[in-house]
DNA sequence: TATAAATCAGATATTTTTGTCTGATTAAAA
DNA sequence: TTTTAATCAGACAAAAATATCTGATTTATA
């Protein structure tokens, strides 16, 4: 179903982008995130809990509680979210699923694929979520 | 678990590569493919059945039966196998899982991602499996 | 023609991923 | 201090993907 990120990771990125796109507010309740992104509240809470424990998001309990970014958006890379949720496997595993990969016996697709995944890595590692604010807002607007 | 292709697709590609790498033999029983690739016989049969019905592989029933390529290996593109098993979704879906994609409201990752997936498509569409023979043989050797 | 060795089809089982529920805890505000 | 609105933690449920099994069918060959 999902292309390259797990569904949890897709939604985690969406939620973090949402958090980065709302300005001048302390914390955002998961209910609002769920409503805006059109996904179940319970699921996005679960995912944001994971991101909280890995230090990307911070949470405030109790009434008037909710989630917010744990750091400045220009310090949060897309890669951080991917690693926190899906781990680093996609960057090292064989695209054809062969076991015991070694570069001495590269499988047929190795060269092209490793180049592509390297570029993906670079992009995720360079882009910070503050660069996305404007586009995120338009995207969320279009969901309505 | 799998990166971008489903496990079935990974194994389908492996099996087709194996078929292309054995020379001068009519048909290969699934038992041999399973043994060489170290995967369950029943699973690879199932997958090869799918590839048979989509015309990439052909099968011969009965004693001395087995599977073989349905066409000349220089006519079989990696893309054929991917489309037959996983379909074309990966080439069109949003990498962040947003619904109702439209290029008027591209999501933040769109530009970079669409470039990468285009390159992947091109590669899968250009490379034919006969180009892989030598490397495939070495890879299979290394599994032993 | 009988036997053996293979695919084929479809049902079933297992595992993983995705999603939901429940109850405890926390904290703001009445 | 009580009520209310939120996260949190972990169990649970459902769905999808992956894998296995069983029996029917097919075909080569003795
Ligand atoms: S060399 Fe081949 S088997 Fe190893 S990681 Fe690369 S693509 Fe996979
Ligand atoms: S524009 Fe955004 S939402 Fe649409 S396909 Fe591209 S990445 Fe996905």
């Amino acid at each position: 179903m999902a292309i390259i990120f797990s569904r949890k990771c897709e939604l985690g990125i969406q939620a973090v982008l949402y958090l980065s796109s709302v300005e001048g507010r302390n914390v955002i309740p998961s209910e609002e995130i769920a409503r805006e992104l059109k996904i179940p509240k319970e699921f996005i809470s679960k995912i944001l809990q994971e991101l909280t424990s890995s230090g990307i998001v911070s949470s405030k309990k109790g009434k008037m509680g909710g989630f917010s970014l744990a750091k400045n958006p220009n310090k949060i890379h897309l890669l951080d979210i991917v690693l926190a949720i899906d781990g680093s496997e996609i960057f090292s595993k064989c695209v054809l699923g062969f076991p015991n990969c070694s570069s001495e016996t590269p499988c047929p697709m190795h060269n092209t694929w490793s180049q592509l995944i390297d570029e993906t890595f670079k992009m995720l590692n360079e882009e910070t979520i503050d660069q996305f604010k404007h586009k995120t807002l338009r995207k969320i607007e279009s969901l309505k």
Side-chain angles (χ1 to χ4, degrees), chain A:
Chain A
M1 196 184 182
I3 306 185
I4 185 164
F5 305 133
S6 71
R7 184 76 180 138
K8 271 162 74 174
C9 189
E10 290 180 349
L11 295 179
I13 295 175
Q14 290 190 17
V16 169
L17 289 176
Y18 182 77
L19 289 178
S20 79
S21 75
V22 292
E23 275 185 290
R25 292 169 57 200
N26 248 347
V27 294
I28 313 292
S30 60
E31 186 278 322
E32 171 181 337
I33 303 173
R35 176 165 31 85
E36 294 294 315
L37 297 177
K38 308 262 186 294
I39 53 181
K41 169 168 131 24
E42 294 82 5
F43 198 27
I44 202 61
S45 308
K46 262 271 156 267
I47 295 167
L48 286 171
Q49 279 171 36
E50 286 191 39
L51 291 176
T52 299
S53 76
S54 49
I56 294 164
V57 161
S58 73
S59 71
K60 185 166 176 258
K61 289 187 187 177
K63 193 171 181 181
M64 296 280 115
F67 294 94
S68 61
L69 298 180
K71 345 179 195 178
N72 191 311
N74 68 21
K75 290 279 183 302
I76 302 179
H77 297 256
L78 286 174
L79 183 65
D80 304 334
I81 307 167
V82 173
L83 290 179
I85 298 181
D86 281 349
S88 61
E89 274 210 331
I90 53 164
F91 303 112
S92 58
K93 274 188 52 181
C94 170
V95 68
L96 296 186
F98 278 112
N100 316 317
C101 168
S102 77
S103 36
E104 293 91 58
T105 54
C107 85
M109 273 186 67
H110 185 77
N111 289 344
T112 329
W113 178 258
S114 61
Q115 210 176 313
L116 289 170
I117 201 73
D118 279 359
E119 283 177 51
T120 305
F121 182 90
K122 219 173 285 171
M123 183 264 278
L124 294 171
N125 192 35
E126 280 165 7
E127 311 263 25
T128 55
I129 61 173
D130 61 323
Q131 298 162 342
F132 294 156
K133 195 161 179 173
H134 186 63
K135 282 188 171 174
T136 301
L137 285 171
R138 301 218 317 164
K139 188 75 210 172
I140 286 162
E141 192 58 35
S142 82
L143 295 177
K144 285 181 180 162

